[in-house]
């Protein structure tokens, strides 16, 4: 059996749906919140997919793992693989040390509690941004190279990788680390879904602008880093790759970037979006050299929307994924691309997506 944490979240929902589609027996560890127990929350998040899933109520925290002893015993007897996808994805937690400790102690306690039963493999969903504020090419074998971090989130994710690897080595559990870049797909309103929702909200706003009577003259200038890579990765690929890398024998002990290799430069991405949306006035400025002079209210709105992700938008990084690509090719998983056809598909998803629009449409 497979045990998944984080199934009520953006990425976990997609992993659960794909695992169920293969008929794999699945248990999920989820917490009760807002007056609902774990079963109700998993049912609300997964809909039909929730049928047949063994829901275990529990929480991972700085104090370890809180799960009823009987449920833990059942998991020990049945779970061969854990995909640990739960995580608090806020960049700026109110109190930092408990936040870091929850990322580290919760999964380590769960791994130790299950080790000695049937558990063989642990797949840790981390982030490509454990590289912190580095620039240039980042390789999958690299971890702590003394990098600075943008926020406590990145540091917590790296510390969690290290702690889970050490716990796995001590308990004889095969730990694999998966590092997605910025994941995009139809997303719920969770912190993890926010980058995707913001990107989609931007697309919807640009699409609305393109429908304006004065669209031919409409300008939408965005400050970024035109030469930097736009490191998005599609949700479907992340879910498929995670399920394979969690259990494939060739992935044993590995660390894997789940990314679009040679992701398009921001300038090209903006051009592809402008072309697809029919919005010739969509322009990417270089924040370092071209200040956004006399911004319109719409341009100010977009700048505010991007602000929480500004550091990432200005960072020039290439994530090498040679190790992931080799294993996934053997498993028949095609490498993701971000060309015009993929951008067109993302635009379609954004325009059809039910996720909440985070910006108001232009007046007029
Ligand atoms: N979204 C991205 O672009 C991205 C990119 C790279 C890596 N990641 C990583 O991918 C993983 C999933 O992220 P996401 O985007 O799906 O985030 P999300 O939508 O915010 O979902 C987070 C999930 O983790 C659960 N969770 C959080 N704290 C928990 C705790 N203390 N105990 C038990 N469950 C807890 C949440 O449960 P509740 O529903 O109970 O809150 C939810 O199911 C995270 O580890 C994140 O660091 C995300």
């Amino acid at each position: 059996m497979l045990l998944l944490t984080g199934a009520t979240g953006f990425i976990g929902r997609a992993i659960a749906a794909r695992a169920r589609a293969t008929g794999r027996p699945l248990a999920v560890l989820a917490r009760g919140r807002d007056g609902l127990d774990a079963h109700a929350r998993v049912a609300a998040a997964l809909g039909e997919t929730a049928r047949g899933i063994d829901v275990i109520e529990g929480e991972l925290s700085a104090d370890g793992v809180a799960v009823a002893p009987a449920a833990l015993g059942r998991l020990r007897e049945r779970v061969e693989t854990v995909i640990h996808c739960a995580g608090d994805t806020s960049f700026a937690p109110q109190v930092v040390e408990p936040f870091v400790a929850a990322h580290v102690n919760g999964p380590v306690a769960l791994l130790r509690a299950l080790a000695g039963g049937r558990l063989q493999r642990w797949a840790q969903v981390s982030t490509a941004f454990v590289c912190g504020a580095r620039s240039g090419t980042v390789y999958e074998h690299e971890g702590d190279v003394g990098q600075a971090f943008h926020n406590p989130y990145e540091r917590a994710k790296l510390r969690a990788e290290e702690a889970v690897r050490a716990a796995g080595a001590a308990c004889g559990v095969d730990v694999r680390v998966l590092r997605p870049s910025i994941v995009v797909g139809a997303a719920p309103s969770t912190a993890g879904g926010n980058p995707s929702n913001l990107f989609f909200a931007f697309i919807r706003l640009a699409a609305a602008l393109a429908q304006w009577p004065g669209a031919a003259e409409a300008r939408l200038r965005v400050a970024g880093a035109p030469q930097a890579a736009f490191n998005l990765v599609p949700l479907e690929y992340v879910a498929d790759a995670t399920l394979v890398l969690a259990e494939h024998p060739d992935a044993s002990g590995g660390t894997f970037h789940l990314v679009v290799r040679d992701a398009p430069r921001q300038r090209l991405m903006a051009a592809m979006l402008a072309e697809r949306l029919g919005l010739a006035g969509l322009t990417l400025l270089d924040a370092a050299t071209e200040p956004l002079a006399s911004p319109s209210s719409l341009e100010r709105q977009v700048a505010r929307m991007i602000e929480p992700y500004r550091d990432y938008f200005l960072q020039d990084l290439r994530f090498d994924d040679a190790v992931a690509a080799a294993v996934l090719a053997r498993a028949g998983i095609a490498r993701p691309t971000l060309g015009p056809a993929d951008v067109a598909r993302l635009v379609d998803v954004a325009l059809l997506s039910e996720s909440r629009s985070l910006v108001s449409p232009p007046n007029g």
Side-chain angles (χ1 to χ4, degrees):
M1 171 178 266
L2 186 64
L3 172 66
L4 173 67
T5 69
T8 52
F10 171 40
I11 298 175
R13 292 193 326 172
I15 294 174
R18 283 168 134 74
R20 287 303 293 150
T22 65
R24 184 89 164 85
L26 180 65
V28 300
L29 179 76
R31 52 186 176 179
R33 276 174 88 184
D34 307 325
L36 296 174
D37 68 12
H39 288 84
R41 294 193 65 238
V42 170
L46 298 181
E48 273 299 296
T49 302
R51 197 171 293 182
I53 293 181
D54 191 358
V55 178
I56 309 292
E57 181 142 343
E59 175 143 13
L60 304 166
S61 72
D63 297 328
V65 57
V67 178
L72 202 54
R74 203 161 80 239
L75 291 176
R76 276 172 65 90
E77 285 166 16
R78 299 174 65 198
V79 172
E80 292 129 5
T81 303
V82 172
I83 297 179
H84 174 52
C85 190
D88 182 341
T89 47
S90 23
F91 289 162
Q94 303 223 312
V95 208
V96 172
E97 283 322 312
F99 171 88
V100 177
H103 274 272
V104 172
N105 301 351
V108 164
L110 180 62
L111 188 153
R112 287 191 182 134
L114 297 181
R118 287 179 76 93
L119 184 67
Q120 293 173 34
R121 293 167 293 266
W122 178 283
Q124 175 82 4
V125 180
S126 184
T127 167
F129 289 92
V130 292
C131 69
R134 290 177 61 184
S135 57
T137 300
V138 179
Y139 294 93
E140 290 160 299
H141 68 269
E142 294 176 313
D144 188 344
V145 296
Q147 66 268 49
F149 296 107
H150 292 116
N151 50 48
Y153 169 73
E154 295 173 348
R155 180 162 66 89
K157 295 296 285 184
L158 185 59
R159 295 294 163 253
E161 285 186 9
E162 294 163 349
V164 164
R165 277 216 182 278
C171 301
V173 174
D174 172 2
V175 172
R176 296 120 187 258
V177 172
L178 315 179
R179 295 176 176 165
S181 57
I182 299 167
V183 185
V184 287
S189 311
T190 58
N194 276 348
S196 187
N197 283 336
L198 283 172
F199 180 59
F200 283 6
F202 174 77
I203 288 174
R204 284 195 289 271
L205 182 140
L209 193 58
Q211 299 303 312
W212 252 8
E217 290 84 48
R219 279 197 315 183
L220 179 53
R221 295 166 303 164
V222 182
Q227 290 308 318
F230 203 53
N231 281 303
L232 302 182
V233 62
L235 174 64
E236 297 76 13
Y237 171 74
V238 171
D240 286 340
T242 297
L243 282 165
V244 168
L245 294 171
E247 300 203 292
H248 199 290
D250 296 351
S252 177
T255 299
F256 307 95
H257 278 153
L258 305 186
V259 299
V260 169
R261 180 181 286 193
D262 297 325
R265 309 272 138 202
Q266 290 178 20
R267 189 191 303 286
L268 176 58
M269 190 68 181
M272 288 192 288
L273 283 173
E275 169 74 22
R276 170 67 184 165
L277 294 165
L279 187 63
L282 176 60
T283 314
L284 190 68
L285 303 182
D286 188 339
T289 56
E290 299 171 275
L292 184 55
S294 313
S296 66
S297 68
L298 186 63
E299 289 170 336
R300 278 200 302 275
Q301 206 180 349
V302 169
R304 272 199 306 276
M305 181 172 125
I306 293 171
E307 189 53 34
Y309 301 94
R310 189 180 150 77
D311 288 342
Y312 296 104
F313 211 43
L314 300 184
Q315 190 176 12
D316 191 5
L317 278 170
R318 175 183 174 274
F319 294 110
D320 186 89
D321 73 337
V323 186
V327 180
L328 291 169
R330 286 198 284 280
I333 303 276
R335 192 176 232 170
T337 52
L338 257 183
D342 310 292
V343 170
R345 193 182 56 80
L346 277 179
V347 167
D348 291 345
V349 176
L351 297 182
L352 290 172
S353 167
E354 290 168 10
S355 53
R356 197 164 47 95
S357 182
L358 299 178
V359 290
S360 37
N363 299 321

